[in-house]
Amino acid sequence: MRLDKFLKVSRLIKRRTVAKDISQQGRVLINGRESKPSTVVKVGDELTVQFGQKLVTVRVERLADNVRKEEAATMYTLVKEEPIAKDNVLDF
């Protein structure tokens, strides 16, 4: 499954276009590597997403093309969530 689609379906990000934009900006890492919106996500991958002043790391648990809102959180497991020091924020 494409990275941008996974972020949208899992509801980590509300819109696919927003997921595409942040991926293009280098704010999403898969297993420690910068990833494009078209990068293929597999079960077991660790995604690190920069949301403003925090980094969220999740592990992909399952893939599905469509899920209900209530089931979206079962697609990943939260590994860690940490604030970013102002001097470490990526400039775009």
Side-chain angles (χ1 to χ4, degrees):
M1 175 181 286
R2 289 174 53 108
L3 173 61
D4 56 348
K5 184 169 183 178
F6 177 81
L7 292 171
K8 195 275 185 214
V9 172
S10 66
R11 292 182 171 69
L12 284 167
I13 297 178
K14 291 186 180 189
R15 293 190 201 116
R16 191 166 177 175
T17 54
V18 174
K20 180 180 175 185
D21 290 344
I22 69 162
S23 299
Q24 290 174 332
Q25 294 171 359
R27 294 171 46 190
V28 181
L29 306 176
I30 296 179
N31 299 324
R33 293 187 173 153
E34 273 190 32
S35 303
K36 296 179 181 181
S38 62
T39 303
V40 176
V41 175
K42 299 181 275 308
V43 173
D45 284 348
E46 282 200 2
L47 307 180
T48 303
V49 183
Q50 179 183 335
F51 291 106
Q53 298 297 315
K54 68 179 177 178
L55 285 178
V56 176
T57 303
V58 298
R59 184 180 314 103
V60 178
E61 298 296 338
R62 71 183 187 100
L63 301 173
D65 288 331
N66 296 306
V67 293
R68 294 180 182 200
K69 184 177 180 179
E70 303 81 32
E71 298 170 353
T74 65
M75 294 182 69
Y76 61 89
T77 301
L78 181 64
V79 175
K80 64 182 172 180
E81 187 173 332
E82 56 191 342
I84 303 173
K86 287 195 178 212
D87 55 335
N88 290 338
V89 175
L90 300 174
D91 291 324
F92 301 106

